[in-house]
């Protein structure tokens, strides 16, 4: 018999589990230690410590009706539930609940692809559908649409969107929650609701128009705990005729300001997909002791010193990879335009042609592209990033052995913000005793109207001291970020209160509003306590 | 053919089979349980240790598959997924951390579990530390074989033929050996794009960290049912 959730008696929990077994089938309620252990967070930085977030049991319904029954039983017995789609968001909690003792509602068995309409570029899926599943479905039918996939692509399409996950192609598609259209939700009282056009009694355009009529409430179900989402519509990309990649690099440190302005212009016009910024100069640290000495000197190097070093070595300070999708001649013209525009604006800018593909790929190209290209850029899900995650070296002493979690603050989409974030976060990491690629860290551009200065913090299964240090660093650095107006877009479970607490305008009016909603729609507080930093009334006192 | 005891005295057991140009040690003579070889072996062929591990298990009757530069995607999608949809069969590997983690997670959905995990980590004094989490019998067997001078990838191959999933008898211990060979470092071209998984050292140009720890592991069927995605 598993340990019951806090505040629930052993007898009450046993009764609830029996009812759950009657609702979904005995074999789909998991109570043994070995079964429940599968819902541990594989990247938990609290592993084997008293605070590790652990489920008490799990239940795996196969239908909406079963989800409704689960919710009603939970309400009756005040059992906290924690829904997961496939539980693959490693670094952000995985399958584990935020509130220990919750019963995980595992939606993997709800894995139907309900529709893919290539003509209207849309799909409607259940939570158990992975990016691999949807990709295969499209490929097997030779449908002329693409998915936008995160990296890795083993997770749930619905789950990633609900976690505000991201991808790699055009902005409107790589914001996965933003590209959803209409959802079905089991509310905390067991009632079934649909949003947008799906709310029509006989809908004809579930995934065509988001808003329907009246308030747009779908946003309440992302990173939140107001219901269990059981279906979502998504917009898909039309398969482009061709893809082209090109890299622009600029010589001076402060050229990043102009470079970002140009890239923003190109992206806001819809001429490019996700840009990829980096610093070729920073990449030279391993082979250039003089550069390492510059970076390490007290007070750090000036912009002029870095520029002189770069010039002496023929290195560029910053670069950006640009991705173009569309008719072959059109994207060739766009790349030509980029070279003219930036070349006329930034002295010393260089341009490097990248890969060009026409679609559909031939079988031979399929094999080749897997070796030479980031597949996510062309909508192909994969797990190759796990091949770069491992490896402890003298320069990287704490990586691997337990994974990592992420500190991911949003900063303004400007070059000045990149330089400022490098300065501030570099100092914060130093103060926390952790390495940071200061002066050279580049932002991620997944959410296309802001930059994410994401870094990873190591997790160990063997050394709890590494985990304690990483958690302490996260807490310290998040506070520094908040002081500069930078809030995180996601959080590992241990950090949700800290991260949510930073969104504190007008004495936490946002949080108080969410709590008011929570009390109204989930008075027993059974759904995903703590998710998004929103706690039910009876647990608010324990908030960190 | 010498038996296990004779081998421990002579260190001379090698089968006639070979993989990747290696003569394969005879793991049966070293104590591998007859008929208990994992169905599939997965290895990182960039490492001499991975190739040796695969050679030993191939000689024991398993099918060995190399990763694609450390990437598990193709192998999982084209082979393991279909295999595990059919039945939960035992697999073993010698890889970096990532592929082991991926397979551990996916195996959980198919009624399998990580039954043995060994981290092979370089120490500051030039040795290798092998942190074994698995059945106590496996630890004892590893200790005996390593003490007898059997190279550690072969020891891991023997363990892969002995291990079953039994969470009630897991223990952790650390053994020390000398390194089998110098592993390659930074031989892989680093992608021009910095991913959030990209270690900071790699962002500074230290290359993909091929000199990091390796992991030997066994994933084996477990008893209870679970939320399969089939």
């Amino acid at each position: 018999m598993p340990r019951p959730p806090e505040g629930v008696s052993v007898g009450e929990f046993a009764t609830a589990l029996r009812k759950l077994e009657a609702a979904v089938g005995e074999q789909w309620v998991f109570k043994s230690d070995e079964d429940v252990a599968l819902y541990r967070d594989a990247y938990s930085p609290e592993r084997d410590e008293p605070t590790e977030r652990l489920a008490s049991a799990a239940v795996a319904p196969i239908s909406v009706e079963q989800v409704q029954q689960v919710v009603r039983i939970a309400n009756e017995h005040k059992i906290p539930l924690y829904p997961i789609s496939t539980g693959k968001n490693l670094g952000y909690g995985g399958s584990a609940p935020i509130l220990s003792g919750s019963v995980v509602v595992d939606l993997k068995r709800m894995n139907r692809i309900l529709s893919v309409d290539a003509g209207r570029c849309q799909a409607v899926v259940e939570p158990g559908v992975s990016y691999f599943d949807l990709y295969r479905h499209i490929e097997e039918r030779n449908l002329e649409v693409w998915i936008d996939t995160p990296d890795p692509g083993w997770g749930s399409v619905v789950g990633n969107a609900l976690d505000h996950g991201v991808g790699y192609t055009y902005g409107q598609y790589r914001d996965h929650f933003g590209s959803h259209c209409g959802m079905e939700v089991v509310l905390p009282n067991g009632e079934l609701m649909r949003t947008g056009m799906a709310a029509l009694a006989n809908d004809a355009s579930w995934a065509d128009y988001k808003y329907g009529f009246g308030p747009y409430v779908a946003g309440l179900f992302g990173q939140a705990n107001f219901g269990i989402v059981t279906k979502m519509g998504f917009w898909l990309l039309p398969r482009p005729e061709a893809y082209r990649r090109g890299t622009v690099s600029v010589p001076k440190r402060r050229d990043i300001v102009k470079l970002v302005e140009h890239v923003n212009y190109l992206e806001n016009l819809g001429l490019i997909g996700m840009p990829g910024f980096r610093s070729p100069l920073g990449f030279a640290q391993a082979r250039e002791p003089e550069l390492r000495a510059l970076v390490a000197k007290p007070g750090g190097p000036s912009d002029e010193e870095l520029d002189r070093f770069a010039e002496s070595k023929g290195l560029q300070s910053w670069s950006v990879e640009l991705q173009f999708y569309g008719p072959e001649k059109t994207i060739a013209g766009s790349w030509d335009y980029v070279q003219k525009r930036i070349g006329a604006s930034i002295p010393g800018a260089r341009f490097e042609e990248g890969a060009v593909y026409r679609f559909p790929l031939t079988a031979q190209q399929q094999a080749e592209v897997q070796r030479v290209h980031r597949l996510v850029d062309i909508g192909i899900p994969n797990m190759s990033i796990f091949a770069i995650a491992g490896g402890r070296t003298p320069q990287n002493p704490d990586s691997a052995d337990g994974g990592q979690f992420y500190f991911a603050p949003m900063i303004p989409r400007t070059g000045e913000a990149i330089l400022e974030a490098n300065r501030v976060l570099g100092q914060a990491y130093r103060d926390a005793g952790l390495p940071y690629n200061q002066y050279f860290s580049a932002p991620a551009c997944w959410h296309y109207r802001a930059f994410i200065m994401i870094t990873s913090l190591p997790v160990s299964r063997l050394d709890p001291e590494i985990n304690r240090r990483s958690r302490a660093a996260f807490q310290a650095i998040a506070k520094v970020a908040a002081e500069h107006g930078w809030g995180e877009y996601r959080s590992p479970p241990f950090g949700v209160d800290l991260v949510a607490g930073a969104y504190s305008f007008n004495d936490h009016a946002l949080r108080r509003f969410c709590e008011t909603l929570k009390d109204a729609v989930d008075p027993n507080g059974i759904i995903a306590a703590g998710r998004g930093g929103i706690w039910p009334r009876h647990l608010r006192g324990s908030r960190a | 053919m010498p038996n296990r005891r004779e081998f421990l005295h002579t260190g001379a057991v090698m089968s006639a089979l070979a993989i990747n140009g290696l003569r394969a040690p005879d793991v049966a003579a070293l104590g591998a349980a007859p008929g208990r070889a994992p169905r599939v072996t997965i290895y990182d062929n960039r490492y001499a240790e991975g190739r040796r591990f695969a050679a030993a298990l191939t000689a024991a009757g398993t099918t060995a598959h190399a990763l694609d530069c450390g990437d598990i995607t193709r192998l999982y999608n084209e082979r393991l997924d279909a295999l595990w949809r059919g039945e939960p069969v035992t697999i073993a590997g010698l890889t970096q951390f990532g592929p082991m983690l991926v397979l551990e997670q996916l195996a959980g959905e198919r009624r399998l579990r990580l039954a043995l995990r060994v981290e092979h980590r370089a120490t500051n004094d030039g040795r290798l530390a092998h942190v074994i989490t698995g059945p106590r019998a496996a630890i004892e067997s590893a200790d005996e074989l390593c003490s007898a001078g059997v190279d550690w990838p072969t020891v891991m191959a023997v363990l892969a033929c002995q291990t079953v999933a039994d969470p009630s008898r897991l223990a952790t211990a650390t053994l020390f050996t000398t390194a089998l060979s110098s592993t390659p470092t930074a031989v892989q071209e680093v992608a021009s794009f910095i991913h959030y998984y990209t270690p900071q050292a790699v962002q500074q140009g230290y290359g993909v960290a091929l000199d990091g720890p390796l992991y030997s592991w066994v994933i084996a069927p477990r008893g209870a049912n679970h939320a399969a995605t089939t």
Side-chain angles (χ1 to χ4, degrees), chain A residues 63-300:
Chain A
S63 67
V64 172
E65 292 74 21
Q66 288 189 359
V67 174
Q68 291 177 282
Q69 287 179 275
V70 167
V71 167
R72 288 179 180 129
I73 293 164
N75 254 314
E76 186 182 347
H77 297 279
K78 311 287 192 294
I79 306 295
L81 301 175
Y82 196 81
I84 62 166
S85 298
T86 59
K88 296 293 193 299
N89 55 339
L90 301 185
Y92 296 113
S95 303
I98 291 176
L99 175 68
S100 272
S102 298
V103 173
V104 169
V105 182
D106 184 340
L107 302 174
K108 278 197 286 290
R109 295 174 68 217
M110 296 177 64
N111 58 1
R112 291 180 301 162
I113 296 169
L114 299 166
S115 67
V116 176
D117 188 325
R120 290 149 81 189
C121 290
Q122 58 183 234
V124 179
V125 299
E126 291 187 327
V129 173
S130 72
Y131 287 93
F132 281 124
D133 296 332
L134 186 54
Y135 176 77
R136 269 195 294 264
H137 179 97
I138 289 168
E139 287 295 297
E140 286 167 1
R141 290 159 182 78
N142 194 28
L143 303 176
E144 295 187 356
V145 286
W146 276 12
I147 62 170
D148 182 288
T149 178
D151 209 355
W154 63 346
S156 158
V157 179
V158 168
N160 187 268
L162 292 177
D163 211 26
H164 295 173
V166 286
Y168 289 82
T169 64
Y170 273 113
Q172 68 184 100
Y173 299 105
R174 68 180 191 258
D175 169 2
H176 291 167
F177 191 82
S179 68
H180 103 270
C181 188
M183 64 171 65
E184 178 185 87
V185 189
V186 174
L187 296 172
N189 64 359
E191 191 176 13
L192 196 62
M193 183 183 81
R194 290 179 176 176
T195 68
M197 301 307 285
L200 286 168
N202 188 22
D203 82 273
S205 51
W206 178 314
D208 289 309
Y209 179 62
K210 288 184 176 188
Y211 303 120
F213 183 76
Y216 179 66
V217 300
L220 290 172
F221 301 98
Q223 288 189 356
N225 48 20
F226 298 110
I228 298 178
V229 176
T230 49
K231 293 182 184 70
M232 281 178 89
F234 289 93
W235 290 338
L236 306 174
L237 295 80
R239 185 172 71 198
E241 178 185 303
Y243 167 90
R244 170 182 285 275
R245 190 161 63 175
T247 300
V248 182
S249 61
V250 294
K252 295 186 183 300
R253 182 160 176 78
R254 290 199 58 79
D255 286 341
I256 189 66
V257 176
K258 272 190 177 176
L259 183 63
V260 168
E261 288 172 0
H262 286 299
V263 171
N264 289 351
Y265 176 82
L266 297 168
E267 181 157 37
N268 293 344
L269 272 181
L271 292 179
I272 58 170
M274 192 176 98
F277 289 94
R278 68 182 289 243
S279 170
L281 183 59
F283 192 70
Q285 290 172 92
R287 65 175 189 271
E288 297 289 354
E290 185 185 345
L291 179 57
R292 293 202 298 275
L294 259 182
V295 169
K297 80 173 197 174

Side-chain angles (χ1 to χ4, degrees), chain A residues 28 34-35 42 88 151 168 278 283 285-286 321 374 383 386 392-393 401 404 406 436-437 446 461, chain B residues 73 102 104-105 109 113 117 119 192-193 195-197 199-200 202 204-205 211-213 215 222 226:
Chain A
W28 300 115
E34 191 178 14
D35 279 332
K88 296 293 193 299
D151 209 355
Y168 289 82
R278 68 182 289 243
F283 192 70
Q285 290 172 92
E321 273 187 9
R374 288 193 312 271
M383 298 184 284
F386 289 109
R392 181 187 295 110
T393 70
D401 128 359
Q404 54 209 318
Y406 309 105
Y436 183 78
N437 195 21
W446 298 305
R461 290 193 191 184
Chain B
T73 306
V102 168
E104 177 194 23
Q105 297 295 301
E109 299 167 5
R113 60 170 289 127
R117 167 188 154 128
E119 183 185 271
S192 56
F193 182 82
H195 191 275
Y196 64 101
Y197 263 70
Q200 293 204 19
V202 176
Q204 294 168 10
D211 55 349
Y215 292 81
R222 51 193 291 270
H226 193 64

Side-chain angles (χ1 to χ4, degrees), chain B residues 21-225:
Chain B
L22 291 173
R23 291 189 65 209
D26 186 342
V27 294
L30 296 173
R36 289 259 294 279
R39 179 84 64 88
V40 171
T41 296
I42 293 165
Y43 67 107
D44 194 325
N45 63 348
R46 295 171 299 182
Y47 298 91
E49 293 89 337
R51 297 192 294 271
R52 190 161 184 84
F53 177 79
L57 284 171
T58 301
T62 77
T63 305
H65 298 284
L67 298 170
D68 297 326
C69 284
D71 180 12
I72 188 67
T73 306
R74 183 185 54 81
L75 191 50
Y76 184 77
N77 283 338
E78 294 181 6
R79 293 186 182 274
L80 286 178
D81 185 36
L83 182 67
W84 279 347
R85 281 177 192 270
E87 57 177 325
V89 300
T90 299
I91 66 171
L94 201 164
T95 66
Q96 287 196 326
F97 175 78
M100 176 187 70
L101 183 278
V102 168
L103 291 175
E104 177 194 23
Q105 297 295 301
L106 295 170
E109 299 167 5
R110 299 293 168 80
R111 304 184 296 281
L112 298 110
R113 60 170 289 127
L114 193 64
L116 176 77
R117 167 188 154 128
V118 188
E119 183 185 271
H120 312 288
R121 183 198 315 159
T123 63
N124 292 332
D125 60 6
R127 294 183 299 166
L128 279 180
H130 308 275
V131 185
I132 305 175
T133 302
R136 196 167 297 282
I139 294 171
E140 291 167 358
S141 182
D143 192 16
E144 183 184 9
L145 291 168
C146 287
S147 299
V150 180
D151 65 86
W152 69 260
T154 301
V155 174
M156 294 301 121
V158 174
L159 264 51
C161 298
Q162 296 176 333
T163 303
V164 294
D166 183 0
S168 65
R169 295 185 185 176
L170 290 184
T172 297
T174 303
L175 307 177
F176 293 90
T177 66
T178 55
L180 175 67
S181 63
S182 59
T183 52
T185 57
V187 297
Q188 193 176 23
E189 180 65 24
V190 175
S192 56
F193 182 82
I194 301 300
H195 191 275
Y196 64 101
Y197 263 70
T198 307
Q200 293 204 19
V202 176
Q203 296 181 37
Q204 294 168 10
Y206 287 99
V208 172
L210 291 179
D211 55 349
L214 291 171
Y215 292 81
S216 300
W217 46 265
V218 174
I219 290 173
R222 51 193 291 270
N225 202 356

